[in-house]
Amino acid sequence: MVHRRNKFRLGILVSGRGSNLQALIDASKKKEIDAEVVVVISNNPKAFALERAKKHKIPAIAPPDQSEKAFINILKQYDVDLVCLAGFMKILSPAFLKAFPKKIINIHPALLPAFPGLQAQKQAFDYGVKVTGVTVHFVDEGCDTGPIILQSPVVVQEDDTLGSLTERLLKEEHKSYPKAIQLLATERLKIAGRRVIQRKK
Ligand code: GRF
């Protein structure tokens, strides 16, 4: 391993626009988190997230070999402490999870366990909930079922459209993801079964 270790090292998996990636890059640059994005990997070579990473001189890789093994190898090569899924549209296999035990997290735009899976904002909006929100959770073998690190509520306003609600949820995502990562970077979390417990400072 060729990298000097000082900060908590993040490997980010993306498939699309990468606004959450951008929030993490910004939080790191502003020193709001004791962590840095050391590599960005995409299953989609056209993902705008890759451009965002390149702009900040962060290695941005869309491996021609799309096997999970290739992804794992890159993450190991960059010696990451944490794998963050940020709009990554692929379910990880048990073998992938085993390669990074308790070291993979995801952000989901609803208050799990309500509205897992795709288009969570729309699911919540169409259901007519009064409160929805954002969840950051560890990734396990299910779809959006892993232990919850943190949740932030977002109130649905009477005059919300799906678009306005999605926008407010996204803003909340951009605050919640760095917060959760900071808890991990500073070793403040303990997983006890389904519960993720915050140690006092
Ligand atoms: C976010 O809403 C995230 O919660 C979900 O996919 C979207 C990704 O957006 N998993 P972006 O690529 O980070 O802008």
Side-chain angles (χ1 to χ4, degrees):
M1 257 154 252
V2 290
H3 314 284
R4 251 191 312 133
R5 167 169 297 283
N6 38 26
K7 276 192 191 159
F8 197 67
R9 301 172 66 83
L10 308 176
I12 318 288
L13 303 191
V14 294
S15 300
R17 129 194 100 169
S19 71
N20 277 288
L21 166 69
Q22 189 68 56
L24 298 182
I25 294 172
D26 294 346
S28 173
K29 298 239 169 227
K30 289 189 207 148
K31 303 204 187 316
E32 289 166 3
I33 52 175
D34 300 313
E36 62 184 329
V37 179
V38 295
V39 65
V40 175
I41 314 175
S42 180
N43 61 335
N44 167 17
K46 297 203 176 108
F48 184 62
L50 293 169
E51 302 308 315
R52 295 185 192 261
K54 282 181 205 155
K55 203 170 157 202
H56 291 273
K57 308 223 171 356
I58 297 166
I61 306 170
D65 170 4
Q66 282 285 316
S67 70
E68 278 198 344
K69 210 155 180 225
F71 277 60
I72 293 170
N73 286 343
I74 297 167
L75 291 163
K76 295 275 184 202
Q77 184 194 333
Y78 280 88
D79 193 20
V80 303
D81 296 304
L82 187 70
V83 180
C84 306
L85 310 187
F88 186 60
M89 304 304 281
K90 235 178 156 180
I91 303 274
L92 301 176
S93 76
F96 197 110
L97 302 180
K98 229 169 146 192
F100 302 95
K102 297 180 185 166
K103 288 196 165 120
I104 309 177
I105 65 172
N106 181 41
I107 185 149
H108 183 76
L111 293 177
L112 293 170
F115 312 120
L118 293 175
Q119 295 193 306
Q121 306 94 328
K122 182 171 189 310
Q123 290 185 54
F125 185 76
D126 289 351
Y127 195 92
V129 295
K130 301 295 185 196
V131 181
T132 181
V134 168
T135 304
V136 182
H137 63 94
F138 286 103
V139 175
D140 69 5
E141 292 178 18
C143 174
D144 301 323
T145 51
I148 290 172
I149 298 170
L150 65 79
Q151 294 189 298
S152 314
V154 170
V155 172
V156 182
Q157 307 290 352
E158 297 288 310
D159 59 354
D160 258 328
T161 59
L162 175 58
S164 62
L165 178 62
T166 301
E167 214 173 282
R168 279 210 312 295
L169 283 164
L170 194 61
K171 275 195 191 141
E172 202 53 52
E173 290 186 47
H174 297 163
K175 288 189 219 154
S176 295
Y177 220 3
K179 240 187 243 172
I181 287 168
Q182 180 64 358
L183 290 172
L184 285 156
T186 52
E187 296 182 342
R188 300 267 306 287
L189 300 181
K190 192 175 89 188
I191 307 181
R194 281 230 36 106
R195 306 197 63 193
V196 179
I197 296 164
Q198 258 187 60
R199 292 197 186 95
K200 299 225 169 69
K201 269 191 205 168

